[in-house]
Amino acid sequence: MYLCSRNHKKHKDMTKRTFLLFHLFTFSLFILAQTISIETEHTQMVLRVNQQKRLCQTYLGERLSAQTDLSQLSMPQAGLSSSCIKGLEAYPVMGTEDYYEPTFEIHHADGNPTSVLKYVSHSTTGNVTSISLKDELYPVEVTLYYKVFPEEDIIQQWAEIRHEEKGKVYLGRYASSMLYFEAPKYFLTEFASDWAKEMQMQSQELQFGKKIVDSRLGARANMMAQPFFEVGLGEPVRENEGTVLMGTLGWTGNFRFTFEVDNQHVLRVISGINHDASTYLLRKGEAFRTADFYFTLSNKGAGEGSRRFQRWMMNHQLHKADADRMTLLNNWENTYFDFDEEKLVALFGEAKDLGVDLFLLDDGWFGNKYPRKNDHAGLGDWQVTKDKLPQGIPYLVKKAKENGVSFGIWIEPEMVNPKSELAEKHPDWIIQLPSRETYYFRNQLVLDLCNPKVQDFVFGVVDSLMQALPQRGSGEGAIRFLKWDCNSPITNIYSPYLKENQGNLYVDYVRGLYKVLDRVQAKYPDLYMMMCSGGGGRSDVKGLSYFTEFWCSDNTDPIERLFIQWGYSQFMPAKAMCAHVTEWNRRTSIKFRVDVAFQGKMGFDISLKGLSDDDRQYCREAIKEYKRLKDVVWSPYLYRLVSPYEGQHCVVQRVNDDKTHSIVFAYDIHPRYGELILPTRLQGLDAEAKYRVKEICLMPGRQSWLSCNEKVYTGDYLMKVGLKVTSSNDLVSHIIEISKTDTAD
Ligand code: GLA
């Protein structure tokens, strides 16, 4: 009996254990099956489905070594528990148990403004993981997408929203991404802007509550704030140390980043199109694709993050990233609207004399009934002004070619002056309020790109220009370059085309623009295009998948440009950053101005006549050196060594892929008397290799006074001891070439 009962007990214990083991096994299988890991070389994001079928973020940080550790990550619960209030739902919806700002809000046809999204399935194809979520009560489906760029450590996120409801359904919010972080402190760096003040880096600690960085300007969307951010996790953003989240939105329109520190001190970062004034009518069966959000999580400061973003731009995003870029002479600040054929042909001669590749004709060449003599008239009438340029554009292209330079031209095809034939003929193509006094920005209005007829018109502006030439297309002998400007934000917001669906305007405007740019890119794949917007009012990474470069700012004062370029370099590659030498800040020498422009995609917007012989000679030589070194200048391996934000000097360094060649750009601004000058340590070199240091781009007849000039050092020395490249002189600059060498001295 005892035995029997003992045996019986043993049997019962075994059954219990098997039962438990079985459940543990199936439970962990459930956990593993529902664990979704998104990984780059150094970063990992882990998502998991909880028992209520809600998708949650359980980890975002440095990549974990063991996959088996993933099940150790704690699981956020649904329901009103404290961890839920903390809320880590991957795509939180409006109206449920998460009390903070949601990513998604949908107003169903019956008026219900809430939704609960539950996990359905997921799959990974190549580098893209998609996760399908559904509302069990309403036919609404949201698919979240995560695309990884493993080598560059960039993660791209977007969502696609669909419904099958009868009646009108509106999207109130449609963010691209929600990311959660837990750190003792959070510090945001944002990029405030204005005309001629782009990319002013400003930092602040994020404390309880919300900080929103957004734009509501529609067309010249980034005039007041740029679509980039950096968040220092635990400490303020540093250049080479610390964990930094860097993010940007690929959307050439209104964006919004929300940084919310909740009452559990969790930081929630929501990124997407700005839903403000954009409650979107989504038709049954139509897919609404949100904008693309891109981020990197660097644990070696913003410097490493910038190199990742620049590599990603060069490898995956920038239009014609592999192709060359053209140095140019622009006539805007030289002539403004006051030019004729004779003047332009003389300028082609100046372009040839300088040695640049292209002449860029700016604003003022069009309009007949209302000629474009100033910025009050003519926008919209893209026919050449006959009494100003009687032989038309083909003649100019031909003359430029005779001078050995290519030809480019300025357009602003999304805009219209009320004083134009276009405005008279098609008032219904213009975004303006039917019933109120009209407000003008730079005396102009924005065309309604939501309207397919307007899209055709805008495409036609480019197409007719290109087709008017005997050499059609965008190769040699044709127009090779367009400066596509966009000077006005959308004012008097009302689309005659959308009628009662005005909430769709800001989104459909951008989509209309993309439709036009798709057509331009397909028909003229060789055309180089500068994205310009009253300076840097358009500067997003999606825009740069259509444009080969962008105009960083109308402010070309070289000192200001050091700051502006420092700002854009956080995300943008040098190859895309147009930097022109002008007359802004004539207290600075031509050398200083050229040396600042040398860091980007170099151009000139200046009269050569006003320059001394030495200055002209300096420019010619600098262009030659620039062409010789452009592959190093445009390398994504950027090291920002001395920040102009921290003192009166700025030093940046570029290194090529195989570390054989590097350039150091050093600038002294207004150092204090007797300031202690220390060597600047270089970065990114091969410690074992030997490098020859040579100052280049010297004024005619001048010698370098740098003590390191023409000396050979090991990479180790250059990185540990450094070189004295700054000084206590006012407004002095040096360009220093560092080349790997086999000789000792
Ligand atoms: C904008 C641009 C300038 C110039 C003018 C022409 O302001 O930023 O570079 O092209 O328009 O009107």
Side-chain angles (χ1 to χ4, degrees):
M1 178 68 190
Y2 176 72
L3 231 171
C4 177
S5 78
R6 264 192 67 183
N7 273 348
H8 179 69
K9 193 168 176 278
K10 205 172 159 190
H11 178 75
K12 253 179 93 180
D13 278 357
M14 268 179 68
T15 325
K16 210 169 145 192
R17 215 179 308 147
T18 320
F19 178 80
L20 275 174
L21 274 173
F22 174 76
H23 276 271
L24 206 67
F25 177 70
T26 46
F27 183 65
S28 50
L29 263 187
F30 171 76
I31 285 183
L32 283 178
Q34 313 302 318
T35 297
I36 305 163
S37 175
I38 317 281
E39 293 158 36
T40 64
E41 237 166 61
H42 297 99
T43 306
Q44 186 162 22
M45 180 187 225
V46 182
L47 302 164
R48 206 185 300 159
V49 182
N50 69 13
Q51 279 146 325
Q52 286 75 28
K53 293 205 268 178
R54 311 274 283 274
L55 183 73
C56 302
Q57 178 193 310
T58 53
Y59 181 74
L60 176 53
E62 243 185 287
R63 188 173 162 159
L64 301 169
S65 319
Q67 291 302 305
T68 45
D69 285 342
L70 300 193
S71 57
Q72 311 285 355
L73 296 162
S74 64
M75 176 64 111
Q77 301 292 311
L80 284 172
S81 68
S82 62
S83 55
C84 168
I85 293 168
K86 219 164 156 180
L88 296 176
E89 200 169 359
Y91 202 64
V93 295
M94 142 54 203
T96 52
E97 69 278 34
D98 189 294
Y99 300 149
Y100 298 94
E101 182 151 327
T103 46
F104 180 62
E105 178 183 332
I106 187 162
H107 296 257
H108 300 283
D110 64 3
N112 182 346
T114 69
S115 196
V116 175
L117 295 175
K118 298 207 170 171
Y119 170 86
V120 179
S121 64
H122 75 276
S123 66
T124 300
T125 316
N127 284 343
V128 181
T129 299
S130 60
I131 308 170
S132 158
L133 309 172
K134 261 189 184 155
D135 189 324
E136 288 174 349
L137 279 186
Y138 291 87
V140 172
E141 194 184 331
V142 175
T143 310
L144 304 181
Y145 290 89
Y146 300 80
K147 179 170 180 180
V148 291
F149 297 89
E151 269 178 51
E152 295 87 2
D153 277 300
I154 302 276
I155 299 179
Q156 173 185 357
Q157 283 184 271
W158 75 97
E160 243 172 52
I161 304 157
R162 251 176 255 269
H163 75 85
E164 292 296 335
E165 291 186 36
K166 286 194 194 111
K168 289 196 167 176
V169 171
Y170 292 90
L171 299 180
R173 287 165 197 264
Y174 31 86
S176 308
S177 156
M178 163 68 107
L179 303 175
Y180 300 91
F181 297 92
E182 264 185 315
K185 282 172 186 265
Y186 308 103
F187 296 86
L188 171 71
T189 298
E190 60 179 313
F191 299 85
S193 284
D194 200 343
W195 177 78
K197 277 183 168 183
E198 288 84 349
M199 294 301 264
Q200 306 294 309
M201 294 174 71
Q202 296 175 5
S203 301
Q204 61 185 271
E205 184 171 354
L206 294 170
Q207 288 178 337
F208 174 75
K210 244 183 259 184
K211 157 86 187 173
I212 293 166
V213 179
D214 71 346
S215 153
R216 306 180 67 209
L217 300 177
R220 187 173 169 172
N222 307 338
M223 180 163 68
M224 310 297 232
Q226 301 275 335
F228 310 99
F229 68 82
E230 297 176 356
V231 176
L233 298 170
E235 57 177 333
V237 175
R238 288 196 286 159
E239 187 61 28
N240 297 309
E241 295 88 20
T243 307
V244 183
L245 166 75
M246 292 172 65
T248 187
L249 195 77
W251 184 248
T252 316
N254 294 351
F255 66 87
R256 176 173 165 125
F257 301 123
T258 307
F259 305 89
E260 186 167 24
V261 179
D262 69 20
N263 58 352
Q264 304 281 324
H265 201 67
V266 168
L267 172 67
R268 299 149 168 260
V269 181
I270 302 180
S271 307
I273 296 172
N274 195 352
H275 58 268
D276 209 2
S278 294
T279 298
Y280 195 92
L281 171 72
L282 181 63
R283 291 188 176 79
K284 185 178 167 198
E286 234 175 63
F288 182 100
R289 193 194 198 278
T290 68
D292 296 316
F293 173 64
Y294 301 91
F295 75 93
T296 193
L297 195 59
S298 158
N299 56 13
K300 291 194 195 117
E304 173 61 20
S306 298
R307 289 184 287 280
R308 289 178 183 175
F309 261 107
Q310 294 198 21
R311 278 167 58 214
W312 171 76
M313 284 294 288
M314 296 295 284
N315 295 341
H316 303 282
Q317 188 73 2
L318 177 65
H319 181 43
K320 291 168 80 64
D322 289 338
D324 201 1
R325 293 291 185 273
M326 287 179 275
T327 53
L328 59 82
L329 177 68
N330 191 356
N331 70 312
W332 176 241
E333 299 202 3
N334 183 357
T335 65
Y336 292 101
F337 296 96
D338 181 18
F339 56 82
D340 56 21
E341 271 171 2
E342 206 186 323
K343 262 196 195 175
L344 292 181
V345 174
L347 289 179
F348 299 160
E350 292 197 6
K352 184 185 180 184
D353 180 28
L354 259 182
V356 292
D357 305 304
L358 177 118
F359 178 83
L360 170 61
L361 172 59
D362 216 285
D363 195 357
W365 58 268
F366 50 88
N368 283 298
K369 183 172 175 189
Y370 302 103
R372 180 80 170 165
K373 288 187 185 138
N374 50 44
D375 62 16
H376 286 259
L379 277 183
D381 301 345
W382 299 101
Q383 300 81 33
V384 74
T385 309
K386 285 196 191 104
D387 52 9
K388 197 170 185 178
L389 302 170
Q391 301 178 79
I393 303 298
Y395 169 78
L396 295 177
V397 177
K398 188 171 130 249
K399 280 296 189 195
K401 203 178 168 206
E402 280 168 25
N403 279 281
V405 284
S406 297
F407 185 82
I409 197 163
W410 179 96
I411 52 172
E412 195 179 2
E414 299 158 72
M415 304 283 159
V416 62
N417 282 125
K419 256 183 153 186
S420 67
E421 290 182 77
L422 180 72
E424 287 172 353
K425 220 161 127 199
H426 293 292
D428 55 322
W429 283 8
I430 302 174
I431 295 177
Q432 58 184 330
L433 283 158
S435 48
R436 293 188 194 276
E437 200 186 329
T438 306
Y439 166 70
Y440 299 96
F441 190 100
R442 209 194 191 211
N443 317 303
Q444 65 195 59
L445 295 169
V446 182
L447 291 176
D448 186 3
L449 268 175
C450 307
N451 183 342
K453 283 193 187 140
V454 176
Q455 293 165 21
D456 288 343
F457 169 80
V458 175
F459 171 72
V461 174
V462 176
D463 203 31
S464 341
L465 260 176
M466 303 300 287
Q467 294 296 320
L469 286 149
Q471 175 70 50
R472 297 198 176 143
S474 43
E476 278 305 329
I479 292 177
R480 299 210 58 210
F481 187 96
L482 289 183
K483 176 175 177 183
W484 181 306
D485 214 333
C486 164
N487 277 297
S488 178
I490 300 181
T491 52
N492 316 288
I493 185 86
Y494 180 86
S495 153
Y497 177 77
L498 290 173
K499 299 193 175 67
E500 69 278 14
N501 302 324
Q502 296 298 318
N504 290 25
L505 202 167
Y506 285 118
V507 171
D508 285 354
Y509 182 90
V510 178
R511 289 183 176 162
L513 175 66
Y514 291 156
K515 282 186 189 154
V516 173
L517 292 171
D518 278 332
R519 287 165 74 183
V520 171
Q521 196 167 72
K523 190 155 180 189
Y524 302 107
D526 297 326
L527 187 61
Y528 288 81
M529 294 209 292
M530 182 203 287
M531 173 161 75
C532 175
S533 186
R538 264 184 181 165
S539 48
D540 69 293
V541 297
K542 170 77 179 178
L544 282 172
S545 69
Y546 294 107
F547 290 85
T548 48
E549 50 223 80
F550 75 105
W551 183 226
C552 302
S553 177
D554 279 346
N555 189 340
T556 45
D557 172 335
I559 298 170
E560 293 304 319
R561 273 287 175 136
L562 286 178
F563 288 87
I564 293 169
Q565 292 174 185
W566 185 273
Y568 277 123
S569 79
Q570 306 289 319
F571 291 82
M572 295 296 197
K575 197 172 195 173
M577 284 164 54
C578 296
H580 295 179
V581 178
T582 72
E583 299 242 312
W584 281 58
N585 196 349
R586 277 195 257 171
R587 282 176 308 139
T588 56
S589 65
I590 198 81
K591 171 170 165 57
F592 195 91
R593 283 177 262 162
V594 170
D595 290 3
V596 171
F598 206 112
Q599 271 190 61
K601 208 233 76 175
M602 198 202 257
F604 289 77
D605 194 353
I606 194 167
S607 164
L608 289 200
K609 288 202 189 83
L611 299 182
S612 70
D613 288 350
D614 275 1
D615 282 356
R616 257 201 307 271
Q617 185 54 21
Y618 181 78
C619 295
R620 287 188 205 106
E621 287 305 316
I623 291 166
K624 277 193 202 139
E625 288 295 67
Y626 182 78
K627 289 185 177 177
R628 180 175 69 84
L629 293 167
K630 58 193 172 189
D631 287 344
V632 191
V633 178
W634 298 336
S635 160
Y637 295 96
L638 165 73
Y639 298 90
R640 288 180 295 252
L641 307 179
V642 178
S643 168
Y645 280 94
E646 286 163 15
Q648 291 296 326
H649 309 274
C650 174
V651 185
V652 300
Q653 182 197 359
R654 296 267 172 187
V655 183
N656 69 347
D657 277 17
D658 57 8
K659 304 183 177 187
T660 54
H661 215 161
S662 171
I663 303 177
V664 173
F665 299 92
Y667 311 90
D668 300 311
I669 305 170
H670 299 299
R672 302 231 5 226
Y673 172 76
E675 191 190 301
L676 176 65
I677 302 291
L678 294 170
T680 301
R681 290 191 194 115
L682 308 194
Q683 290 181 39
L685 299 172
D686 174 357
E688 310 281 296
K690 289 200 184 98
Y691 294 92
R692 180 175 298 280
V693 173
K694 185 171 167 30
E695 179 170 13
I696 57 165
C697 296
L698 293 158
M699 283 300 285
R702 294 283 176 84
Q703 302 290 318
S704 170
W705 42 261
L706 293 178
S707 57
C708 57
N709 189 43
E710 295 287 6
K711 291 201 176 136
V712 173
Y713 301 87
T714 62
D716 186 57
Y717 179 96
L718 293 172
M719 294 191 289
K720 287 183 181 157
V721 181
L723 299 176
K724 275 206 175 177
V725 293
T726 54
S727 72
S728 51
N729 294 304
D730 229 38
L731 297 172
V732 162
S733 57
H734 303 277
I735 301 183
I736 301 147
E737 184 178 357
I738 316 267
S739 337
K740 195 169 166 182
T741 177
D742 292 332
T743 44
D745 208 356

